[in-house]
Amino acid sequence: MFRNGNSFWSAMPPVTKNLIIINVIIWIAMIVFPHATSEKVLDIAGLHYWKGDDFNVAQLLTYMFMHDTGSIAHLFFNMFTLFMFGITLERVLGGGRFLFYYITCGVGAALIQEFTWMLTAEDLAVKVLANAYGVDFPEMADAIKRVDMGFSVGSVGESLQMIYNHYLVTIGASGAIYGVLLAFGMLFPNRPLYLMFIPVPIKAKWMVLGYGLIELALGVSSANDGIAHFAHLGGMIFGVLLILYWKHQGVIRRNDFY
């Protein structure tokens, strides 16, 4: 029990608490007012491919405060992870530094996702257009290059913009959350953690390494599950760089944690 009448919620560090509140409020608003907010917010604030008409730089930040409204699972697991690990990290790093770290990982994840799209968008566009016009992949790829088969330059451009705006978009705090997991694993490498259905404790460093390897394998295998696996890795990459920098600068000392 907390003394002086303090509840667990009121005792939660402010940055972690407010991040959870903001994400939940936005998710509820998109459900309660689907026609007024959901589609418009997704167009404006979801992370789009930078070549798409709907892209704007602010999306590198805003996308991480939106979650899938078709199920509570996306929001729940991200916020539960933030709740479990963010509290400890905020208390040891301080509110300002923790918020900076969280945002940096989220923006870093967005940048890695944009880079991934740069490498894959052309193939995706060819695949979608080939299916739409009933031709095979090589024929469509060649047609786009030569702008024939009844295409006009304008129709090709419009089709590509449709694909960029509707197929290449991502939302969610997962990139930042993976950065939070990474930080916990680096600062508390030997802290025992329990996973559901696994009764044996796993050290934090091995759990984080396992998550990273799984995301890498799924990303390389081009898993068609609608999950931005390379964005998750991006959050971890930017996280490890920032933690190492802080250690080099003496902001984080090796003996501060265990």
Side-chain angles (χ1 to χ4, degrees):
M1 297 180 62
F2 292 93
R3 296 180 179 178
N4 301 323
N6 289 334
S7 67
F8 181 76
W9 179 251
S10 64
M12 187 184 302
V15 173
T16 300
K17 177 165 61 177
N18 283 292
L19 285 173
I20 293 174
I21 291 173
I22 292 170
N23 278 277
V24 171
I25 288 176
I26 292 175
W27 184 77
I28 292 174
M30 292 176 68
I31 291 177
V32 175
F33 308 105
H35 298 295
T37 60
S38 186
E39 294 182 2
K40 292 180 180 179
V41 170
L42 183 62
D43 289 341
I44 296 172
L47 179 65
H48 290 73
Y49 183 36
W50 67 274
K51 286 188 177 181
D53 293 335
D54 287 345
F55 173 78
N56 66 76
V57 176
Q59 293 170 358
L60 298 173
L61 174 66
T62 58
Y63 87 101
M64 70 180 79
F65 295 98
M66 303 173 60
H67 289 82
D68 178 24
T69 56
S71 168
I72 196 175
H74 189 204
L75 174 74
F76 173 78
F77 284 111
N78 277 344
M79 295 303 100
F80 180 73
T81 304
L82 177 59
F83 168 79
M84 291 295 295
F85 300 101
I87 291 176
T88 300
L89 289 177
E90 182 177 349
R91 285 173 175 162
V92 298
L93 293 177
R97 184 169 287 115
F98 174 68
L99 179 60
F100 178 79
Y101 177 85
Y102 182 90
I103 297 298
T104 298
C105 290
V107 173
L111 293 174
I112 295 299
Q113 184 59 45
E114 290 288 342
F115 178 73
T116 302
W117 280 334
M118 286 178 61
L119 300 179
T120 61
E122 183 176 345
D123 284 348
L124 173 63
V126 172
K127 184 182 299 183
V128 172
L129 291 176
N131 290 335
Y133 285 89
V135 299
D136 60 22
F137 187 95
E139 187 176 2
M140 177 55 67
D142 185 59
I144 291 177
K145 291 179 181 179
R146 294 186 290 109
V147 194
D148 60 10
M149 289 180 62
F151 284 123
S152 67
V153 175
S155 66
V156 172
E158 291 173 1
S159 296
L160 290 176
Q161 284 301 316
M162 180 275 293
I163 293 169
Y164 293 159
N165 291 333
H166 296 284
Y167 284 84
L168 301 181
V169 57
T170 191
I171 57 175
S174 299
I177 295 301
Y178 269 75
V180 168
L181 284 173
L182 184 283
F184 191 90
M186 290 187 69
L187 299 182
F188 304 94
N190 296 315
R191 181 75 63 87
L193 300 174
Y194 288 87
L195 298 177
M196 289 186 296
F197 310 116
I198 301 179
V200 180
I202 301 173
K203 290 185 177 180
K205 59 185 176 183
W206 301 127
M207 188 193 75
V208 170
L209 178 61
Y211 271 113
L213 292 175
I214 290 172
E215 290 302 312
L216 178 61
L218 292 174
V220 171
S221 66
S222 299
N224 188 24
D225 53 10
I227 298 175
H229 296 289
F230 282 110
H232 298 172
L233 285 173
M236 299 181 82
I237 291 170
F238 274 75
V240 72
L241 292 176
L242 189 52
I243 292 296
L244 290 176
Y245 174 76
W246 280 341
K247 285 188 174 183
H248 179 72
Q249 294 296 312
V251 174
I252 297 174
R253 297 185 297 273
R254 183 178 181 86
N255 294 327
D256 283 346
F257 314 107
Y258 60 91

